[in-house]
DNA sequence: AAACAGGCCTAAA
DNA sequence: TTTAGGCCTGTT
């Protein structure tokens, strides 16, 4: 990966495996949206940005400091996904899945945002998840002006921890409202230390997250994969169950994929859902 | 109109 | 240890 600095953006070159559409629409995140020109705008870690193609290069708004302190890590630009795809192509099915999903990158999302977003995701479809998350941000986040439009940051746990279910009602999160508030309180009180979990073991993080009401195996693994940045975490939802039962036997264990099992999961998930794509 | 969505919890075998 | 039913809400 190389990059050049321009007045108001960074141009990234010599990077493999960075497809904007696949990365933003493979189901891992909820706050990046495509505009008429094909560029994506979103807000992460409290910072708004636009990212777009310029020929073979990819450009991202902001200065070098934004890039170094935020986007380089957020987009996981120093990881060699082509090599990981090779490592994961352990059979013909995984070869097909990794070929199909080539270009996906796992975003290093804000930990609290990931926890909150995936609590919201349970028993919901993507449009509604996005709607609820946006409502949460508009209601309780901070406004950020960017390219003439107003965006909102994801509200921190302190802001949410003091809310009542009634106060949260406008975002229409239904029975998840109590889960969200309880999770915020746990983070705020220090009972759940997401930063500490990120530097501990996978097993410990899983155990700690599942203590929260409304967080089971699936949500916990999403948080660990996308928020705690452990690429071995392997969330299994209904699509993954289907894919696993179609291609592997009952004794299937994600550890066959090794240290990047979670990335394998993302290729499998995206491939399994490809029938839905237009 | 009734069923279903990217789960989780509780109660009951 | 596994299984059914309920849960907010919006969409089909």
């Amino acid at each position: 990966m190389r990059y050049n600095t321009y007045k108001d953006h960074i141009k990234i070159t010599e990077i493999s495996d960075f497809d904007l559409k696949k990365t933003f629409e493979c189901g891992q995140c909820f706050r990046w949206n495509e505009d008429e020109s094909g560029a994506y705008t979103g807000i992460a870690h409290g910072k708004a940005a636009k990212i777009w193609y310029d020929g073979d290069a990819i450009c991202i708004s902001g200065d070098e400091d934004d890039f170094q302190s935020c986007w380089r890590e957020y987009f996981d630009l120093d990881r060699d996904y082509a090599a990981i795809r090779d490592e994961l192509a352990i059979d013909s099915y995984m070869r097909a899945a990794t070929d199909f999903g080539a270009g996906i990158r796992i975003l290093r999302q804000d930990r609290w945002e990931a926890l909150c977003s995936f609590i919201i995701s349970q028993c919901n479809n993507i449009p509604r998840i996005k709607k609820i998350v946006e409502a949460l941000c508009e209601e309780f986040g901070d406004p950020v002006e960017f390219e003439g439009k107003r965006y909102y940051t994801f509200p921190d746990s302190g802001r949410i921890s003091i809310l009542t279910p009634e106060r949260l009602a406008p975002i229409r999160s239904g029975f998840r409202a109590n889960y969200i508030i309880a999770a915020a309180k746990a983070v705020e009180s220090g009972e759940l230390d997401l930063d500490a979990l990120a530097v501990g073991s996978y097993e410990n993080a899983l155990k700690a997250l599942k203590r929260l009401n409304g967080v089971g195996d699936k949500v916990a693994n999403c948080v660990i994969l996308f928020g705690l940045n452990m690429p071995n975490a392997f969330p299994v939802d209904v699509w993954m169950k289907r894919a696993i039962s179609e291609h592997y036997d009952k004794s299937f264990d994600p550890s066959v994929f090794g240290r990047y099992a979670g990335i394998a999961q993302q290729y499998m998930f995206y491939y399994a859902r490809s029938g839905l794509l237009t």
Side-chain angles (χ1 to χ4, degrees):
Chain A
M1 192 272 292
R2 298 175 70 86
Y3 70 92
N4 291 300
T5 306
Y6 293 84
K7 193 172 59 161
D8 59 356
H9 68 277
I10 300 292
K11 183 187 271 193
I12 303 162
T13 53
E14 295 177 38
I15 183 151
S16 80
D17 286 69
F18 195 4
D19 183 293
L20 298 181
K21 192 169 198 64
K22 290 180 188 175
T23 296
F24 290 128
E25 297 181 17
C26 71
Q28 62 177 325
C29 60
F30 306 104
R31 301 205 65 202
W32 289 91
N33 295 299
E34 190 177 21
D35 67 23
E36 321 74 51
S37 72
Y40 283 82
T41 304
I43 182 159
H45 296 296
K47 212 183 281 275
K50 181 158 100 174
I51 184 162
W52 67 95
Y53 289 108
D54 178 2
D56 290 334
I58 288 179
C59 296
I60 180 158
S61 61
D63 59 23
E64 184 163 17
D65 184 53
D66 293 326
F67 180 72
Q68 287 293 6
S69 68
C70 182
W71 304 120
R72 184 173 185 155
E73 177 173 294
Y74 181 75
F75 290 110
D76 206 15
L77 295 182
D78 294 296
R79 206 192 286 277
D80 184 353
Y81 279 81
I84 291 172
R85 280 190 286 114
D86 269 345
E87 193 172 323
L88 294 177
I90 58 173
D91 51 36
S92 59
Y93 164 66
M94 281 305 293
R95 168 60 70 186
T98 52
D99 282 349
F100 184 79
I104 291 174
R105 289 181 164 266
I106 304 291
L107 301 173
R108 300 194 184 203
Q109 302 183 234
D110 175 85
R111 309 189 206 298
W112 157 247
E113 177 175 337
L115 172 56
C116 201
S117 299
F118 284 98
I119 285 174
I120 290 169
S121 79
Q122 67 188 81
C123 202
N124 248 160
N125 49 45
I126 290 173
R128 187 167 169 229
I129 297 166
K130 292 181 79 165
K131 200 173 284 181
I132 293 170
V133 169
E134 275 326 295
L136 178 72
C137 296
E138 282 177 30
E139 191 73 19
F140 304 107
D142 292 321
V144 173
E145 298 296 330
F146 179 71
E147 297 190 345
K149 282 191 187 157
R150 177 165 295 185
Y151 297 84
Y152 293 88
T153 62
F154 197 93
D156 63 34
S157 54
R159 196 84 52 100
I160 303 305
S161 67
I162 56 173
L163 299 178
T164 59
E166 295 72 40
R167 186 75 181 77
L168 203 51
I171 72 168
R172 314 299 286 163
S173 63
F175 62 85
R176 305 157 195 83
N178 289 318
Y179 300 158
I180 295 167
I181 295 167
K185 284 182 171 155
V187 170
E188 214 43 31
S189 70
E191 178 191 336
L192 183 73
D193 186 340
L194 294 170
D195 295 332
L197 293 184
V199 293
S201 71
Y202 165 80
E203 289 74 16
N204 187 54
L206 185 67
K207 199 170 59 180
L209 286 164
K210 284 176 68 175
R211 279 194 210 111
L212 296 174
N213 197 17
V215 177
D217 267 302
K218 195 277 180 177
V219 169
N221 277 100
C222 285
V223 175
I224 296 172
L225 178 61
F226 304 123
L228 303 188
N229 188 32
M230 294 186 195
N232 57 315
F234 195 87
V236 177
D237 71 323
V238 291
W239 291 94
M240 286 299 296
K241 278 194 187 121
R242 211 169 299 156
I244 291 165
S245 69
E246 276 172 27
H247 300 283
Y248 298 100
D249 59 30
K250 213 166 69 105
S251 65
F252 171 82
D253 186 315
S255 62
V256 298
F257 298 126
R259 59 194 160 151
Y260 297 122
I263 301 179
Q265 174 274 158
Q266 208 60 34
Y267 291 123
M268 291 171 73
F269 180 78
Y270 183 72
Y271 193 41
R273 285 176 56 99
S274 60
L276 296 182
L277 300 177
T278 50

